[in-house]
Amino acid sequence: MFYRKRILAVLLVLIFLSFFGTLGATAWMFPENYDWRYRVICNLLSPRDNPAHYWMPACGISVAALLMLPFAGYLGRYLKIAAPRVALVSRGAFMAGILALICASLVVPQHAHSVLGIRRLHEFLARSSAGFIAIGMLCGCWCAWKGRGRRLFGARLFWTWSCLTTLPLVGLVSSECLLLLTRLKVTWTMPIRAALRHSVFWHLGFWEWTGAAAVFVFLCAAVFLMPRQETQLPRTRLAKLPPGRLKLAAADVSPQSRRFSEELP
């Protein structure tokens, strides 16, 4: 039932309301001015930064992650037609990313105390979730490319998935690498940091929101651009009988059954 497109379309609406709806409402009630281009999503879940309403985005993200679980099975079922092993990896990566996202929404950001011996457990779970989901999306793009060559999937699906996956991923990795190199005080990175310091492309919050929107549009494309796979029954090969056996089989037919077959339209 969860693989029907109507059910998946309803789940997409619920995911949008649960994830972006609760985050938008919490950002509107944020104590300070919340600008999604410069602030990370973790600020909305932090009891220190948002003491009154930090539980709202935590509940919304966990519910949205639970509603994403059927999409992992949906993608694994249809992508295995093109590449069974890669589709299995994509399904497992999506499942691991969704479970890590649920754990990240339940473990609030701790700035002073460690949780289970880890100082920043929430950040670790959030980055693990993003990494697993990115792997699942990349494997989906590979399956779409293989299916495009075999005419199993349309070209629009592959190009849509590729743009939604590579652009935010390249931007996020480039931003993190430049930030790491500037902390190491590499000389040639200082002019780049000075040029991009006041740009939205330098801040992690911009790429977090962009990546979240890209994952949602990725799932929308999986529902509305994925061609409908018709179920085909396996073809059975009829045994070839020699001419003598065919004559014996025809002679064994009784006159009553032969008369009944002739009366049928």
Side-chain angles (χ1 to χ4, degrees), residues 75-87 139-153 229:
L75 292 173
R77 179 184 181 184
Y78 283 94
L79 294 179
K80 70 179 181 181
I81 303 174
R85 295 182 179 178
V86 182
C139 293
C141 294
W142 173 257
C143 294
W145 172 258
K146 298 285 289 185
R148 175 178 172 270
R150 301 176 186 177
R151 297 182 179 181
L152 298 175
F153 307 112
Q229 303 292 338

Short mmCIF file of all heavy atoms in Angstrom, two decimals, residues 75-87 139-153 229:
data_model
loop_
_atom_site.label_atom_id
_atom_site.label_comp_id
_atom_site.label_asym_id
_atom_site.label_seq_id
_atom_site.Cartn_x
_atom_site.Cartn_y
_atom_site.Cartn_z
N LEU A 75 12.21 3.27 -3.07
CA LEU A 75 13.37 3.46 -3.95
C LEU A 75 14.11 2.14 -4.16
O LEU A 75 14.54 1.84 -5.28
CB LEU A 75 14.31 4.50 -3.35
CG LEU A 75 13.79 5.94 -3.33
CD1 LEU A 75 14.74 6.84 -2.55
CD2 LEU A 75 13.59 6.47 -4.73
N GLY A 76 14.27 1.37 -3.08
CA GLY A 76 14.95 0.09 -3.24
C GLY A 76 14.20 -0.88 -4.14
O GLY A 76 14.82 -1.66 -4.87
N ARG A 77 12.89 -0.81 -4.13
CA ARG A 77 12.09 -1.73 -4.95
C ARG A 77 12.20 -1.40 -6.43
O ARG A 77 12.31 -2.31 -7.26
CB ARG A 77 10.63 -1.66 -4.49
CG ARG A 77 9.71 -2.57 -5.29
CD ARG A 77 8.27 -2.40 -4.85
NE ARG A 77 7.37 -3.27 -5.59
CZ ARG A 77 6.06 -3.26 -5.46
NH1 ARG A 77 5.49 -2.42 -4.62
NH2 ARG A 77 5.29 -4.08 -6.16
N TYR A 78 12.18 -0.13 -6.77
CA TYR A 78 12.17 0.24 -8.18
C TYR A 78 13.57 0.41 -8.77
O TYR A 78 13.75 0.23 -9.97
CB TYR A 78 11.37 1.54 -8.37
CG TYR A 78 9.89 1.31 -8.31
CD1 TYR A 78 9.19 1.47 -7.12
CD2 TYR A 78 9.18 0.93 -9.43
CE1 TYR A 78 7.82 1.25 -7.05
CE2 TYR A 78 7.81 0.72 -9.38
CZ TYR A 78 7.14 0.88 -8.19
OH TYR A 78 5.79 0.65 -8.13
N LEU A 79 14.55 0.79 -7.95
CA LEU A 79 15.89 0.96 -8.48
C LEU A 79 16.62 -0.35 -8.69
O LEU A 79 17.60 -0.39 -9.44
CB LEU A 79 16.71 1.86 -7.53
CG LEU A 79 16.25 3.30 -7.40
CD1 LEU A 79 17.14 4.04 -6.42
CD2 LEU A 79 16.25 4.01 -8.75
N LYS A 80 16.18 -1.42 -8.04
CA LYS A 80 16.86 -2.69 -8.22
C LYS A 80 16.67 -3.26 -9.62
O LYS A 80 17.39 -4.19 -10.02
CB LYS A 80 16.37 -3.70 -7.19
CG LYS A 80 14.94 -4.18 -7.39
CD LYS A 80 14.55 -5.19 -6.34
CE LYS A 80 13.13 -5.71 -6.56
NZ LYS A 80 12.73 -6.68 -5.51
N ILE A 81 15.73 -2.72 -10.39
CA ILE A 81 15.55 -3.17 -11.77
C ILE A 81 16.78 -2.80 -12.60
O ILE A 81 17.19 -3.54 -13.50
CB ILE A 81 14.28 -2.54 -12.38
CG1 ILE A 81 13.07 -2.90 -11.52
CG2 ILE A 81 14.06 -2.99 -13.80
CD1 ILE A 81 11.79 -2.21 -11.96
N ALA A 82 17.40 -1.66 -12.29
CA ALA A 82 18.58 -1.22 -13.04
C ALA A 82 19.87 -1.77 -12.46
O ALA A 82 20.73 -2.24 -13.20
CB ALA A 82 18.63 0.31 -13.08
N ALA A 83 20.04 -1.71 -11.14
CA ALA A 83 21.27 -2.17 -10.49
C ALA A 83 20.89 -2.71 -9.12
O ALA A 83 20.72 -1.92 -8.18
CB ALA A 83 22.29 -1.04 -10.38
N PRO A 84 20.73 -4.01 -8.96
CA PRO A 84 20.24 -4.57 -7.69
C PRO A 84 21.16 -4.27 -6.50
O PRO A 84 20.68 -3.90 -5.42
CB PRO A 84 20.15 -6.07 -7.97
CG PRO A 84 20.08 -6.18 -9.47
CD PRO A 84 20.88 -5.04 -10.00
N ARG A 85 22.47 -4.42 -6.68
CA ARG A 85 23.38 -4.22 -5.55
C ARG A 85 23.44 -2.75 -5.13
O ARG A 85 23.42 -2.44 -3.94
CB ARG A 85 24.77 -4.72 -5.92
CG ARG A 85 24.84 -6.24 -6.16
CD ARG A 85 26.25 -6.67 -6.49
NE ARG A 85 26.32 -8.12 -6.70
CZ ARG A 85 27.42 -8.77 -7.03
NH1 ARG A 85 28.57 -8.10 -7.17
NH2 ARG A 85 27.40 -10.08 -7.21
N VAL A 86 23.53 -1.86 -6.10
CA VAL A 86 23.58 -0.43 -5.78
C VAL A 86 22.26 0.03 -5.17
O VAL A 86 22.23 0.87 -4.27
CB VAL A 86 23.93 0.38 -7.03
CG1 VAL A 86 24.04 1.86 -6.71
CG2 VAL A 86 25.22 -0.11 -7.64
N ALA A 87 21.15 -0.54 -5.63
CA ALA A 87 19.85 -0.21 -5.05
C ALA A 87 19.77 -0.67 -3.60
O ALA A 87 19.17 0.02 -2.76
CB ALA A 87 18.73 -0.84 -5.88
N CYS A 139 23.79 6.88 -4.88
CA CYS A 139 23.49 5.56 -5.42
C CYS A 139 22.22 5.58 -6.27
O CYS A 139 22.13 4.88 -7.29
CB CYS A 139 23.35 4.55 -4.28
SG CYS A 139 24.88 4.22 -3.38
N GLY A 140 21.24 6.38 -5.86
CA GLY A 140 20.04 6.52 -6.68
C GLY A 140 20.34 7.14 -8.03
O GLY A 140 19.77 6.75 -9.05
N CYS A 141 21.25 8.13 -8.05
CA CYS A 141 21.66 8.73 -9.33
C CYS A 141 22.35 7.71 -10.22
O CYS A 141 22.15 7.68 -11.44
CB CYS A 141 22.57 9.92 -9.07
SG CYS A 141 21.78 11.32 -8.25
N TRP A 142 23.17 6.85 -9.61
CA TRP A 142 23.84 5.81 -10.40
C TRP A 142 22.83 4.84 -11.00
O TRP A 142 22.93 4.45 -12.17
CB TRP A 142 24.86 5.08 -9.53
CG TRP A 142 25.48 3.89 -10.20
CD1 TRP A 142 25.18 2.58 -9.99
CD2 TRP A 142 26.50 3.92 -11.21
NE1 TRP A 142 25.95 1.77 -10.79
CE2 TRP A 142 26.77 2.56 -11.56
CE3 TRP A 142 27.20 4.92 -11.85
CZ2 TRP A 142 27.73 2.22 -12.50
CZ3 TRP A 142 28.15 4.57 -12.80
CH2 TRP A 142 28.40 3.25 -13.12
N CYS A 143 21.86 4.43 -10.20
CA CYS A 143 20.82 3.52 -10.71
C CYS A 143 19.99 4.19 -11.80
O CYS A 143 19.62 3.55 -12.80
CB CYS A 143 19.91 3.06 -9.57
SG CYS A 143 20.72 2.02 -8.33
N ALA A 144 19.71 5.49 -11.64
CA ALA A 144 18.97 6.21 -12.67
C ALA A 144 19.77 6.30 -13.96
O ALA A 144 19.22 6.24 -15.07
CB ALA A 144 18.60 7.60 -12.18
N TRP A 145 21.11 6.45 -13.85
CA TRP A 145 21.96 6.48 -15.04
C TRP A 145 21.96 5.12 -15.74
O TRP A 145 21.87 5.05 -16.97
CB TRP A 145 23.36 6.89 -14.65
CG TRP A 145 24.35 6.75 -15.77
CD1 TRP A 145 25.26 5.76 -15.96
CD2 TRP A 145 24.53 7.66 -16.87
NE1 TRP A 145 25.99 5.98 -17.09
CE2 TRP A 145 25.56 7.14 -17.69
CE3 TRP A 145 23.91 8.85 -17.24
CZ2 TRP A 145 25.99 7.77 -18.84
CZ3 TRP A 145 24.33 9.49 -18.39
CH2 TRP A 145 25.35 8.95 -19.18
N LYS A 146 22.07 4.05 -14.96
CA LYS A 146 22.03 2.71 -15.56
C LYS A 146 20.68 2.44 -16.19
O LYS A 146 20.59 1.86 -17.28
CB LYS A 146 22.35 1.67 -14.49
CG LYS A 146 23.73 1.79 -13.88
CD LYS A 146 24.81 1.30 -14.83
CE LYS A 146 24.77 -0.20 -14.97
NZ LYS A 146 25.88 -0.71 -15.79
N GLY A 147 19.62 2.83 -15.52
CA GLY A 147 18.29 2.62 -16.08
C GLY A 147 18.01 3.50 -17.28
O GLY A 147 17.22 3.14 -18.16
N ARG A 148 18.66 4.67 -17.32
CA ARG A 148 18.49 5.54 -18.49
C ARG A 148 19.05 4.90 -19.74
O ARG A 148 18.48 5.00 -20.83
CB ARG A 148 19.17 6.88 -18.22
CG ARG A 148 19.17 7.84 -19.39
CD ARG A 148 19.84 9.14 -18.98
NE ARG A 148 20.03 10.03 -20.13
CZ ARG A 148 21.12 10.02 -20.89
NH1 ARG A 148 22.10 9.17 -20.62
NH2 ARG A 148 21.23 10.84 -21.92
N GLY A 149 20.19 4.22 -19.61
CA GLY A 149 20.77 3.54 -20.76
C GLY A 149 19.93 2.37 -21.24
O GLY A 149 19.91 2.05 -22.43
N ARG A 150 19.24 1.72 -20.32
CA ARG A 150 18.38 0.59 -20.68
C ARG A 150 16.94 1.01 -20.94
O ARG A 150 16.06 0.15 -21.07
CB ARG A 150 18.41 -0.45 -19.56
CG ARG A 150 19.80 -0.99 -19.26
CD ARG A 150 19.75 -1.94 -18.08
NE ARG A 150 21.10 -2.36 -17.68
CZ ARG A 150 21.33 -3.14 -16.63
NH1 ARG A 150 20.32 -3.58 -15.89
NH2 ARG A 150 22.57 -3.47 -16.32
N ARG A 151 16.68 2.31 -20.91
CA ARG A 151 15.34 2.85 -21.13
C ARG A 151 14.34 2.38 -20.07
O ARG A 151 13.17 2.16 -20.36
CB ARG A 151 14.83 2.49 -22.53
CG ARG A 151 15.66 3.10 -23.66
CD ARG A 151 15.06 2.76 -25.01
NE ARG A 151 15.87 3.37 -26.08
CZ ARG A 151 15.58 3.25 -27.37
NH1 ARG A 151 14.51 2.55 -27.75
NH2 ARG A 151 16.35 3.82 -28.27
N LEU A 152 14.85 2.21 -18.83
CA LEU A 152 13.96 1.86 -17.73
C LEU A 152 13.43 3.11 -17.03
O LEU A 152 12.32 3.10 -16.52
CB LEU A 152 14.72 0.98 -16.72
CG LEU A 152 15.22 -0.37 -17.25
CD1 LEU A 152 16.06 -1.06 -16.19
CD2 LEU A 152 14.06 -1.25 -17.67
N PHE A 153 14.24 4.17 -16.99
CA PHE A 153 13.85 5.43 -16.38
C PHE A 153 14.06 6.55 -17.39
O PHE A 153 14.89 6.44 -18.29
CB PHE A 153 14.66 5.71 -15.11
CG PHE A 153 14.64 4.60 -14.11
CD1 PHE A 153 15.78 3.87 -13.83
CD2 PHE A 153 13.48 4.25 -13.47
CE1 PHE A 153 15.77 2.84 -12.92
CE2 PHE A 153 13.45 3.22 -12.55
CZ PHE A 153 14.59 2.51 -12.28
N GLN A 229 6.19 1.00 -13.25
CA GLN A 229 6.70 -0.29 -13.67
C GLN A 229 5.55 -1.29 -13.70
O GLN A 229 4.92 -1.58 -12.69
CB GLN A 229 7.79 -0.77 -12.69
CG GLN A 229 8.95 0.19 -12.55
CD GLN A 229 9.76 0.27 -13.80
OE1 GLN A 229 9.74 -0.64 -14.63
NE2 GLN A 229 10.48 1.36 -13.98
#
